[in-house]
Amino acid sequence: QVQPVESGGDSVQAGGSLRLSCVTPHSSLCMAWFRQPPGKEREAVVAIDMYRRITYSDSAKGRFTVSRDISKNTLYLQMNSLKPEDTAMYYCAAVRPTVVGGDWRCPPLALANYDYWGQGTQVTVSS
């Protein structure tokens, strides 16, 4: 069973930074961050595969940076220049990759494509 565990959420002022972390039992997983603003649907933020190929959503480009430490089974999300509209519950998600021609492939960045979810960590940005 894969159970991601997030940490690092906090309350910050606009313009501040936070780094979220997510630990999984192993690193042979496609990983992603999603977020759910208050009263809104959950949305994709960024995905990273085992080769560290990255897909950013439009909302994350330029201010958010994803990385992963394979040796620590840990995924990170560095968020800079935070805005009040970044206020949300942030979720770490994972899915097992498929093998195509010897290459590990991850699905497109979409809610329905990820099987394992953490409990979430709250990020609140005040103006």
Side-chain angles (χ1 to χ4, degrees):
Q1 182 67 18
V2 177
Q3 178 62 56
V5 179
E6 308 98 332
S7 63
D10 205 346
S11 296
V12 297
Q13 295 283 326
S17 297
L18 281 175
R19 188 176 81 158
L20 306 182
S21 300
C22 171
V23 179
T24 53
H26 58 82
S27 290
S28 299
L29 296 164
C30 308
M31 301 294 301
W33 288 100
F34 291 79
R35 68 184 184 183
Q36 186 163 14
K40 296 184 179 180
E41 294 184 352
R42 197 171 299 188
E43 62 185 23
V45 177
V46 62
I48 184 169
D49 69 11
M50 289 71 62
Y51 305 107
R52 297 183 173 87
R53 294 177 294 207
I54 298 170
T55 301
Y56 285 102
S57 67
D58 289 342
S59 64
K61 290 178 182 176
R63 297 186 298 121
F64 293 3
T65 302
V66 68
S67 61
R68 63 190 303 176
D69 186 332
I70 300 296
S71 67
K72 296 181 179 179
N73 300 331
T74 302
L75 176 73
Y76 301 101
L77 182 65
Q78 178 67 43
M79 304 186 293
N80 298 326
S81 302
L82 283 162
K83 304 175 182 180
E85 50 263 44
D86 295 318
T87 294
M89 184 71 79
Y90 283 72
Y91 295 91
C92 177
V95 64
R96 300 183 190 280
T98 56
V99 179
V100 179
D103 187 29
W104 296 96
R105 297 286 180 87
C106 292
L109 179 57
L111 207 68
N113 291 335
Y114 284 79
D115 295 329
Y116 307 105
W117 292 83
Q119 294 299 308
T121 187
Q122 180 66 40
V123 172
T124 302
V125 184
S126 57
S127 56

